[in-house]
Amino acid sequence: MTVRLKDFYADWCGPCKTQDPILEELETDYADVDFEKVNVDEEQDVANQYQVRSLPTLVIENDDGVVDRFVGVTQREDIEAALQEAGA
């Protein structure tokens, strides 16, 4: 099963920059997870598809669909729990 984490962000978003180091750590620890950064200014269609209204938004999904989503800066423990629930 493929587990994906989509990180919806924008260059002008301060909280997104706070979120980045947490995601970079997780990306190192979870090599089997596909991490994807989605710049909402450049990919508005994708942001609309996922109904992103605030930044940062993290969407964790697997082959069955969306498992969890977080809005705002999210702590590593919460993201990790969702990744494991998704099958990572």
Side-chain angles (χ1 to χ4, degrees), residues 9 31 61 74 80:
Y9 78 101
E61 57 187 2
T74 307
E80 216 164 7

Side-chain angles (χ1 to χ4, degrees), residues 32-74:
D32 56 335
V33 174
D34 291 337
F35 285 80
E36 182 184 343
K37 290 182 78 64
V38 182
N39 185 326
V40 296
D41 291 331
E42 295 170 5
E43 301 184 66
Q44 288 177 334
D45 50 337
V46 180
N48 289 336
Q49 182 187 337
Y50 283 89
Q51 298 177 336
V52 173
R53 299 284 173 261
S54 302
L55 298 176
T57 293
L58 303 177
V59 175
I60 294 159
E61 57 187 2
N62 60 21
D63 298 342
D64 298 329
V66 174
V67 174
D68 213 338
R69 68 187 289 146
F70 300 101
V71 178
V73 176
T74 307

Side-chain angles (χ1 to χ4, degrees), residues 9-27:
Y9 78 101
D11 292 332
W12 45 263
C13 165
C16 298
K17 291 174 177 48
T18 305
Q19 186 73 74
D20 282 343
I22 299 169
L23 294 174
E24 286 163 15
E25 275 181 29
L26 285 165
E27 197 166 356

